[in-house]
Amino acid sequence: MSVRLEKVALTGNQALAHAVRMAKTQVVAAYPITPQTSVVETIAEFCAKGEMDAHFIQTESEHSSMSACIGASMTGARTFTATSSQGLALMHEMLHWAVGARTPIVLGEVNRALAAPWTILSDQSDSMAQRDTGWMQFYCGNNQEVFDTALLAFKLCEAVLLPAMVVLDAFVLSHSVEGVLLPHQELVNQYLPLRETLAKLDPDEPHAFGGMMFPDVFMEQRFKIEESMDIARGVIMECATEWDALTGRLLKPLHCYHTEDAEYIVMCLGTAFGAAMQAVDQLRSKGIKAGAIRMWQYRPFPTQELIDTIPDTSSLAVVDRAVSFGCGGPVGTETKAIFSGNNQVKVYNYIAGLGGREIRSSSFEKVFSGMMENTASQNKINWLEVRQ
Amino acid sequence: MNEPQAQTTELLTADHCKTSGGHLACQGCGGALSLRMALQVFGKECVFVIPACCMAVIDGPFPVSSLGVPLMHIAFGATAPTASGIRAGFAAQGKDEILVVGWAGDGATFDIGLGAVSAAADRNDDILYVCYDNEAYMNTGVQQSGATPRAAWTSTSPRQAPKYAAKKDIISIMAAHRIPYIASVSPSHPDDFVRKFQLAKKIKGFRFIHIFSPCPPGQRFEERNTIKIARKAVESRVFPLLEIYNGKKLTLQDIPDPQGLEEYIKLQRRFDHFSTEDRKQFESDINTHWHELHDWAIQSGGLTGENGKRNS
């Protein structure tokens, strides 16, 4: 099949909407919140113009959006919603339900800090706060990746019967225009056939879903979710490899920049990676063996990939754009746990870029200095560029 | 008391859609009885959504289910949007003929799910929403809800600190949404119950049915008195039986000579502590609501007898 591509100037939110359209999503339920709005506005317009044959439900809250998605998904329909920040927090109860019900919903999550105080700008505290719900999470680095990740997410979710978040930074991706290659619809059809599922609401084969489970089976139900998370690791690679074969673009759990021989590495999620790579270039020009990693796949956590990637005797600074107060950054603490038995890899945790504060290449240079000059603490949270 | 019509008896005792035995309802549960009657009307081509409530327990724990139709359990405040999602999912697959039923208690409807019910009604989503109302959070141990009558005992409105407000007027709230069909029914009036459910099954758009659902342990009465209490509620004007079309045209089953309020109160120990003042206020709340509905009926749909026939 020929790979016919069309390069279009799209914001991250529009790229996401196009992926939802090309995935032939059947039900979309959503409630507006900045900076997510243009995702669902674009979808509503696709539906109104007949460019997309989906049922669009505007609800009165994100709690109801997720409820509607769960209901729709239980009929076997392909289902999508999008939200941000307060909206994701309001969904929390139903995020758990979506996982327990094994509904393969895809959620576009435009990262925005949580109030109070009010802000509409980006950090990752909203999605990180949902890390224990059982949703898979993928943090995108550019608008093309938003599009590619969304299509992969549908395929993956329907294979492992877990939902997934496609996560993108507010404004830096959601409202910034980049060239995005849109594949021909036939190629998407080949990659992502219509959803088929056996377990669904069907009067011809009536079952009750989500009813009371006693301790004799409840833990097994939970174990099955964890088992599916493990299975997902392999399925993600399969889906990514297939997409790579069709488009030449490979989605990877970790995007690495000069890490092979690196002595000092910074790791982040999302768009801060650009500044991290700049800082690496700056240090490399001075002969310092610096490297950077962008984590695309956050749930399931890429444990083995990290072990395989981080060179022995290196120092690793995890820069979190979220904080678990009283403990540390979510990614930082989890990464430290992986290397806790390894005395050779030093892991530092930085908190940066909260509430839309920019993380510049000079910021990452400070992180590198902290590791190199031993001024950073391994035992405490390192707050980057904050007035104390 | 009229005997049910022959066709009602036949429908309600037919084998085609009986709930299975062994479900977990308490003896004398008005909700379980109503559910059985409704299922007999719906037949097999339906899907249920049930939130946290007694009915989520009554259906039975995994892997058993006594309803015999597909059932989606969902969180407390999520009945209506889940049903809307199911409707949309079916519509996307050309399965418009399947009846989608939300079946929720008064807590899920009057309180935690009210905004979500309102939104689904506002969108006029094609679902049948049923509220079985036992006037408190019975499944969690009898706490006050928006449906609890003024001063009735619950575990969070004890005698010393009674509920201040009258029962929330859910019928008027739903009527304000101009939905195609609203009805109130009582399991003590099976002809009326069956007729209204049959009608609701046929109508497209958002339909709302309010069931008076006596609860022996929660309202504190003997199990054998469920139907008696339900009947007294209707005959004393405590629970008016009505239908509202498009939020405007109301037909009310007339109770020209209300009777049995005293016995209705006396049969239920949740009213044990009523002072003369409580008793007067309770009756006043009932009369106020009744006269509002009566005036509305006179101006629009009119009054009917127990058989649903229009009074001249």
Side-chain angles (χ1 to χ4, degrees):
Chain A
M1 173 184 261
S2 66
V3 183
R4 290 168 57 188
L5 300 168
E6 187 189 357
K7 192 159 196 171
V8 191
L10 296 173
T11 65
N13 282 357
Q14 288 168 334
L16 186 53
H18 276 279
V20 173
R21 172 182 63 79
M22 298 191 87
K24 301 197 168 167
T25 306
Q26 292 162 299
V27 177
V28 178
Y31 182 78
I33 181 169
T34 302
Q36 152 266 29
T37 39
S38 53
V39 180
V40 286
E41 284 169 353
T42 309
I43 290 171
E45 199 179 326
F46 287 151
C47 293
K49 285 182 179 166
E51 293 169 11
M52 187 176 165
D53 186 21
H55 289 255
F56 182 84
I57 306 171
Q58 178 157 339
T59 60
E60 86 300 336
S61 76
E62 290 85 355
H63 190 278
S64 288
S65 300
M66 187 45 62
S67 305
C69 284
I70 293 166
S73 192
M74 283 302 299
T75 70
R78 184 168 288 161
T79 308
F80 175 83
T81 187
T83 191
S84 295
S85 183
Q86 312 296 125
L88 191 68
L90 188 57
M91 264 184 200
H92 178 76
E93 181 188 23
M94 303 317 295
L95 293 177
H96 281 283
W97 204 287
V99 172
R102 308 303 302 260
T103 45
I105 300 161
V106 174
L107 186 158
E109 152 59 20
V110 188
N111 272 142
R112 163 182 156 180
L114 284 158
W118 280 122
T119 173
I120 57 166
L121 301 177
S122 191
D123 69 32
Q124 291 160 350
S125 54
D126 53 349
S127 50
M128 289 290 166
Q130 309 303 336
R131 64 182 176 163
D132 298 337
T133 55
W135 280 67
M136 297 183 283
Q137 293 193 13
F138 301 94
Y139 289 75
C140 301
N142 55 61
N143 293 352
Q144 183 69 61
E145 202 175 85
V146 170
F147 178 87
D148 294 345
T149 302
L151 287 181
L152 177 138
F154 281 112
K155 190 177 174 74
L156 165 68
C157 292
E158 291 167 17
V160 300
L161 291 180
L162 287 176
M165 293 182 199
V166 178
V167 187
L168 56 154
D169 287 333
F171 301 107
V172 180
L173 288 186
S174 70
H175 288 64
S176 301
V177 174
E178 289 182 333
V180 176
L181 288 162
L182 295 185
H184 196 274
Q185 182 66 52
E186 284 167 25
L187 184 141
V188 177
N189 297 349
Q190 182 192 334
Y191 178 69
L192 184 65
L194 295 178
R195 183 184 164 200
E196 283 180 28
T197 187
L198 292 173
K200 59 185 175 185
L201 295 165
D202 179 2
D204 291 335
E205 207 183 313
H207 294 288
F209 297 93
M212 188 87 74
M213 273 193 183
F214 291 128
D216 61 332
V217 280
F218 188 91
M219 267 185 81
E220 280 71 18
Q221 198 267 3
R222 286 323 202 221
F223 174 74
K224 282 286 175 191
I225 293 169
E226 179 62 25
E227 195 177 57
S228 295
M229 271 283 182
D230 273 338
I231 292 168
R233 295 172 196 277
V235 179
I236 292 164
M237 298 310 289
E238 287 166 22
C239 294
T241 306
E242 189 180 339
W243 189 243
D244 182 33
L246 290 168
T247 65
R249 293 191 299 274
L250 181 62
L251 296 159
K252 290 184 287 190
L254 302 176
H255 285 256
C256 299
Y257 189 67
H258 293 311
T259 49
E260 298 81 4
D261 64 339
E263 291 170 4
Y264 302 99
I265 300 173
V266 292
M267 182 164 80
C268 61
L269 297 81
T271 53
F273 190 54
M277 289 191 292
Q278 268 189 308
V280 168
D281 289 345
Q282 186 69 24
L283 268 68
R284 288 259 166 190
S285 72
K286 294 176 190 163
I288 297 162
K289 289 184 174 171
I293 298 171
R294 174 164 67 82
M295 187 181 281
W296 168 75
Q297 175 190 319
Y298 174 59
R299 282 289 184 276
F301 198 72
T303 307
Q304 193 57 48
E305 288 84 351
L306 274 171
I307 292 169
D308 295 343
T309 302
I310 306 299
D312 284 343
T313 72
S314 64
S315 294
L316 169 66
V318 180
V319 179
D320 267 295
R321 293 192 75 178
V323 59
S324 174
F325 295 107
C327 183
V331 189
T333 49
E334 290 172 11
T335 306
K336 276 186 180 178
I338 291 173
F339 293 103
S340 62
N342 183 335
N343 295 330
Q344 308 216 290
V345 177
K346 291 182 183 172
V347 184
Y348 301 85
N349 189 193
Y350 278 82
I351 306 294
L354 301 186
R357 183 168 295 189
E358 276 199 68
I359 310 178
R360 301 164 191 273
S361 58
S362 56
S363 316
F364 280 108
E365 285 175 38
K366 285 177 194 157
V367 174
F368 279 115
S369 320
M371 289 190 281
M372 293 187 297
E373 292 160 19
N374 236 353
T375 52
S377 169
Q378 269 186 272
N379 303 321
K380 292 200 308 192
I381 310 172
N382 300 282
W383 285 77
L384 187 64
E385 297 176 331
V386 72
R387 294 183 290 275
Q388 298 197 19
Chain B
M1 192 194 298
N2 296 333
E3 286 294 317
Q5 294 167 21
Q7 71 250 37
T8 304
T9 308
E10 196 183 329
L11 176 72
L12 293 180
T13 54
D15 279 335
H16 69 287
C17 201
K18 272 189 174 161
T19 49
S20 62
H23 67 64
L24 301 179
C26 306
Q27 279 188 359
C29 175
L33 177 60
S34 300
L35 179 74
R36 188 179 72 75
M37 289 163 72
L39 277 164
Q40 293 287 99
V41 175
F42 295 154
K44 293 281 187 196
E45 279 293 290
C46 66
V47 166
F48 266 64
V49 181
I50 295 181
C53 63
C54 293
M55 218 53 71
V57 178
I58 289 169
D59 180 61
F62 176 85
V64 299
S65 172
S66 54
L67 258 64
V69 296
L71 159 61
M72 180 77 199
H73 290 269
I74 204 69
F76 215 165
T79 315
T82 304
S84 298
I86 291 170
R87 167 54 66 215
F90 281 148
Q93 298 168 80
K95 298 176 182 173
D96 290 321
E97 71 291 350
I98 302 170
L99 178 69
V100 181
V101 181
W103 189 283
D106 49 292
T109 306
F110 287 60
D111 296 348
I112 193 169
L114 183 61
V117 172
S118 169
D122 179 44
R123 291 188 300 265
N124 197 26
D125 286 339
D126 186 24
I127 57 180
L128 172 49
Y129 189 100
V130 181
C131 171
Y132 71 105
D133 178 4
N134 47 32
E135 303 198 317
Y137 290 87
M138 299 312 190
N139 195 39
T140 44
V142 199
Q143 293 81 24
Q144 166 192 315
S145 82
T148 303
R150 192 198 306 268
W153 173 88
T154 71
S155 61
T156 53
S157 56
R159 262 184 302 176
Q160 300 82 353
K163 186 187 176 190
Y164 174 72
K167 183 182 175 87
K168 199 186 276 189
D169 183 3
I170 194 73
I171 292 291
S172 295
I173 292 170
M174 295 317 297
H177 292 76
R178 314 269 195 269
I179 51 176
Y181 187 67
I182 295 168
S184 58
V185 298
S186 167
S188 58
H189 291 62
D191 290 327
D192 182 71
F193 188 111
V194 166
R195 182 182 65 78
K196 286 169 176 170
F197 267 88
Q198 283 174 328
L199 189 54
K201 186 185 167 187
K202 282 185 212 145
I203 292 171
K204 290 283 168 197
F206 193 94
R207 299 88 89 196
F208 183 88
I209 294 187
H210 187 197
I211 303 177
F212 187 77
S213 178
C215 170
Q219 297 164 348
R220 301 182 149 194
F221 63 81
E222 287 179 54
E223 291 85 350
R224 64 191 169 90
N225 285 334
T226 297
I227 295 299
K228 190 176 189 178
I229 285 170
R231 181 159 281 278
K232 296 282 170 212
V234 173
E235 290 174 351
S236 64
R237 296 179 174 174
V238 166
F239 192 79
L241 297 182
L242 54 76
E243 287 168 291
I244 304 174
Y245 294 88
N246 302 313
K248 290 285 184 194
K249 187 180 159 195
L250 185 149
T251 57
L252 179 68
Q253 181 175 314
D254 198 13
I255 308 291
D257 179 23
Q259 286 185 2
L261 183 62
E262 214 51 61
E263 202 178 351
Y264 176 79
I265 292 171
K266 219 169 132 189
L267 281 170
Q268 303 175 64
R269 286 194 286 125
R270 62 172 170 157
F271 301 127
D272 261 2
H273 59 282
F274 265 20
S275 63
T276 314
E277 190 53 39
D278 288 336
R279 165 76 179 70
K280 268 165 72 181
Q281 186 61 56
F282 186 79
E283 188 166 6
S284 166
D285 288 343
I286 289 160
N287 283 335
T288 303
H289 189 217
W290 173 267
H291 287 299
E292 285 167 4
L293 295 172
H294 194 265
D295 289 352
W296 185 354
I298 296 287
Q299 289 160 21
S300 58
L303 303 169
T304 70
E306 186 169 325
N307 54 14
K309 294 253 168 60
R310 190 69 51 88
N311 289 358
S312 52

